[in-house]
């Protein structure tokens, strides 16, 4: 396995940026930040940059929409950016996805580089060229496929994250182990995040994702395995976006989705019961125990119908055949989804027993 | 020269559509129309279509914007279109450009076919994969490159056009002759549109454009010759969008642009004076004589600075080396643009003399 050519993992972000701009010419350099990355991340790279202008947007998934795109396009226009301009996206998944989309559509496409500053963006959003924004409550509903000119990943930015944000990103690392590398799953199983070498795990995740994406860039088939946990997980995330006081982070929702879909893997694919139990045990230990209100279960199963991977109005899932191997295009019924969510709740309620 | 593989010129549009859907499967078929194409063009294809849903937008360049995109994306969402849905764009350049952009970005891209119904869209917008919308007064400012799955061109739709709309599309036919085929220019020179065989001229134009675009799909170099007449023409079009009672059609603005840029071709490239005169004579004969108010000239020359082909804030023009041959990347000054517009006015004012 190897890294994609456009991705570099480094512990010297300033040096890498300097080197990049010494070897590439642009008519203007624009840097996209939000109020958090402006404060915590921008100071680490500012001096390494050539002359540039800042575009500041509001942080948060709720601003990943057309209005914010209009703001970004307006700023690019106001600074008279031409097609040889570059946009540097400094931030988490929202900044990378939305900044990339704006760059890929401004004057039919200018170059952009992503400097992901969250663990989630480093292990997931950095690879695969998926760009986009939310639309009318649907996640990443409008977008394009386009690779960043470069992605620079430096774990130094992880020091700016809360423990909860670290856990959120870690869900994608677990996912990559579950779908493609049972030996790595054994290595992380039972460990706390703080005990693990994050740079190695980031590289491992990016390499796995790269291998899958290279074989199937436009998600005709194999790439769908990256959606393990996401059919239910996205629906859970969408549901809690508009219900409940406490927002759920992406990885937290995906952890719930992975438990539900591990259950479906046991029911509909070949995942053994003992594997199902082990996966659940670990995920519950890391992600705690937020149960889903019974009355929310029908609404969440309805939301799975809107997943982009679906065809002809049926629900399409990627399910584990065993730990470390994933299949795709399993047809799942709404009733199955509801059953899997009830299984999740049951696990949460009996989690004391499960943990022993 | 040959047609692109995805383009078919036919005199049996219904048969071609039937055949296409007999050989391609889609989960849903959506048809984009405006009030004009719904009334005049849709009846010619409706019966040939499989089960489908209509999306109707308002006609006109002033609706080629993000709000209308939102409407189209909403409708695709409302009908639960998945990634195996197709959008059929039935209309002129606005429908093709904007419908294509919406399809290319809905769930990161669904297939679309274009059925151009104006002469302008048939000879120009049908080829080259440029999709997009206007933004804050700038034409095609937001967009992507993406080829339609198919383009079906049938001259039968031209019967629905006014004489003025026919003339507008004809400007691009003249342009294709001027940049790449002096012998074809000789054949059309001095003729009325009604005397010409339009199906042959459409094919000729599409073939020329295809040859250029195939060599340079992303407009790194050669493709820029297709912009002959468009640096000044776009600026004129943009200016009259917000000034003056009578809207100027695209081709009418491009005809003015071609006269201005033929002048610049004589001044800055190698175009001979006798060729310049002949080109002007023909364009003035076809496009009449609308002079540009003196006070508008600085504003129009300012607008040329915003052309997408520019780099580093200078004005980049494609100019004729001789009739039938075009070069690109000529740096032009604002003062030159203003001089060329005054030349155009002078030609208009002395046009009686020029015609004899």
């Amino acid at each position: 396995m190897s890294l994609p050519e456009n991705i570099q993992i480094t512990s010297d972000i300033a040096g890498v940026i300097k080197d990049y701009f010494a070897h590439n010419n642009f008519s203007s350099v624009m840097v996209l930040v939000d109020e958090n990355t402006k404060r915590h991340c921008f100071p680490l790279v500012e001096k390494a940059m050539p002359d540039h202008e800042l575009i500041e947007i509001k942080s948060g998934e709720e601003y990943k929409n057309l209005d914010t795109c209009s703001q970004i396009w307006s700023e690019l226009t106001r600074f008279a950016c031409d097609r040889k301009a570059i946009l540097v996206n400094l931030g988490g998944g929202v900044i990378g996805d939305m900044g990339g989309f704006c760059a890929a559509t401004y004057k039919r496409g200018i170059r952009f580089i992503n400097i992901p500053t969250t663990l989630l963006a480093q292990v997931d959003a950095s690879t695969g060229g998926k760009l986009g924004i939310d639309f009318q409550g649907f996640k990443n509903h409008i977008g394009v496929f386009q690779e960043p000119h470069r992605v620079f990943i430096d774990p130094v930015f992880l020091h700016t994250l809360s423990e909860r944000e670290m856990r959120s990103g870690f869900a994608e690392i677990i996912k990559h182990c579950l779908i493609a590398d049972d030996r790595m799953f054994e290595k992380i199983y039972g460990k706390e995040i703080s005990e693990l070498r994050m740079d190695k795990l980031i590289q491992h995740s990016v390499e796995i994702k790269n291998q899958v994406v290279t074989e199937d860039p436009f998600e005709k088939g194999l790439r769908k395995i990256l959606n393990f946990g996401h059919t239910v997980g996205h629906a859970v995330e969408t549901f809690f976006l508009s219900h409940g006081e406490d927002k759920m982070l992406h990885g937290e929702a995906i952890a719930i989705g992975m438990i539900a879909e591990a259950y479906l893997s046991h029911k509909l694919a070949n995942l053994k019961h003992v594997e199902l139990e082990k996966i659940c045990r670990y995920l519950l230990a890391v992600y705690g125990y937020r149960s889903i209100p019974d009355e929310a279960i029908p609404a969440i199963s309805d939301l799975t119908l809107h997943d982009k991977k679906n065809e002809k109005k049926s629900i399409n899932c990627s399910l584990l055949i065993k730990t470390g191997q994933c299949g795709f295009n399993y047809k799942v019924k709404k009733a199955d989804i509801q059953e899997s969510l009830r299984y999740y709740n049951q696990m949460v309620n009996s989690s004391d027993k499960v943990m022993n």
Side-chain angles (χ1 to χ4, degrees), chain A:
Chain A
M1 287 198 303
S2 62
L3 285 176
E5 277 184 12
N6 63 333
I7 298 192
Q8 197 171 338
I9 300 178
T10 177
S11 56
D12 174 23
I13 186 68
V16 163
I17 290 173
K18 256 189 203 157
D19 186 60
Y20 175 75
F21 284 104
H23 292 90
N24 290 275
N25 271 317
F26 302 99
S27 56
S28 338
V29 178
M30 306 293 291
V31 182
L32 182 66
V33 294
D34 60 33
E35 71 278 10
N36 296 323
T37 61
K38 184 182 177 185
R39 183 159 167 210
H40 300 294
C41 305
F42 184 59
L44 302 181
V45 301
E46 184 175 7
K47 285 190 185 142
M49 295 270 189
D51 268 358
H52 57 270
E53 301 288 345
L54 274 189
I55 303 177
E56 183 180 339
I57 60 173
K58 287 185 187 155
S59 68
E61 181 86 22
E62 63 270 38
Y63 295 105
K64 192 179 177 183
N65 57 30
L66 271 182
D67 285 343
T68 312
C69 289
S70 284
Q71 184 201 335
I72 297 168
W73 287 322
S74 289
E75 293 287 282
L76 294 172
T77 308
R78 189 163 71 87
F79 287 106
C81 289
D82 63 30
R83 284 186 176 162
K84 298 217 165 155
I86 189 163
L87 181 65
V88 179
N89 299 312
L90 181 70
V94 171
I95 291 260
D97 286 7
M98 181 160 53
F101 176 67
C102 287
T105 52
Y106 179 76
K107 298 195 178 192
R108 297 197 198 91
I110 62 171
R111 278 171 289 185
F112 61 100
I113 66 179
N114 283 357
I115 304 178
T117 58
T118 65
L119 181 57
L120 183 61
Q122 292 187 346
V123 298
D124 192 37
S126 61
T127 323
K130 285 188 176 183
L131 309 173
I133 53 168
D134 303 338
F135 183 75
Q136 297 185 342
F138 296 103
K139 279 181 61 75
N140 302 319
H141 201 57
I142 304 303
V144 294
F145 288 97
Q146 179 81 43
E147 283 295 339
H149 198 232
R150 292 285 189 288
V151 180
F152 300 136
I153 298 176
D154 191 332
V156 71
F157 294 114
L158 303 182
H159 300 141
T160 66
L161 302 179
S162 68
E163 209 180 305
R164 202 176 154 199
E165 284 172 304
M166 280 299 281
R167 264 205 309 274
S168 174
F170 190 59
E172 296 288 345
I173 291 179
I174 299 175
K175 183 197 76 181
H176 289 130
C177 295
L178 289 177
I179 62 172
D181 191 347
D182 57 330
R183 283 163 56 180
M184 189 61 96
F185 182 67
E186 281 305 320
K187 284 188 196 163
I188 62 172
Y189 180 77
K191 295 224 173 61
E192 302 273 340
I193 295 177
S194 56
E195 299 175 74
L196 296 163
R197 266 208 63 178
M198 220 28 85
D199 56 343
K200 295 292 173 204
L201 281 175
I202 292 167
Q203 174 149 354
H204 176 259
S205 264
V206 172
E207 286 177 348
I208 284 179
K209 185 163 181 187
N210 179 45
Q211 192 173 33
V212 173
V213 167
T214 304
E215 284 191 41
D216 176 23
F218 298 111
E219 206 160 26
K220 302 290 183 202
L222 179 70
R223 182 167 179 166
K224 294 180 188 177
I225 69 170
L226 296 172
N227 286 293
F228 172 68
H230 283 63
T231 305
V232 175
H234 266 165
V236 167
E237 187 180 9
T238 302
F239 179 82
F240 281 104
L241 217 56
S242 50
H243 297 77
E245 56 313 332
D246 187 20
K247 207 178 72 172
M248 189 174 280
L249 297 186
H250 177 72
E252 294 169 340
I254 297 310
I256 296 176
M258 286 195 283
I259 292 174
E261 294 180 28
Y263 173 81
L264 295 173
S265 301
H266 173 57
K267 183 176 178 185
L268 304 171
N270 281 325
L271 190 72
K272 289 192 186 123
H273 193 259
V274 57
E275 295 178 279
L276 166 62
E277 283 192 320
K278 184 169 182 177
I279 292 166
C280 291
R281 201 152 47 226
Y282 185 48
L283 287 168
L284 285 168
V286 179
Y287 291 93
Y289 320 98
R290 179 166 173 175
S291 62
I292 292 170
D294 280 343
E295 61 275 19
I297 289 180
I300 292 173
S301 70
D302 280 353
L303 282 167
T304 60
L305 265 175
H306 269 289
D307 193 89
K308 278 189 283 298
K309 264 63 67 183
N310 295 335
E311 288 166 20
K312 305 203 179 188
K313 286 129 203 173
S314 74
I315 305 167
N316 228 340
C317 264
S318 300
L319 298 178
L320 298 178
I321 297 157
K322 58 180 189 174
T323 308
Q325 197 186 334
C326 191
F328 54 92
N329 281 351
Y330 288 92
K331 304 288 174 227
V332 175
K333 296 197 188 75
K334 257 203 226 181
D336 296 323
I337 301 282
Q338 299 191 7
E339 197 177 302
S340 74
L341 288 165
R342 282 192 294 268
Y343 172 81
Y344 167 76
N345 273 347
Q346 190 188 320
M347 285 296 105
V348 170
N349 294 331
S350 65
S351 59
D352 285 344
K353 259 182 297 170
V354 174
M355 285 296 291
N356 297 329

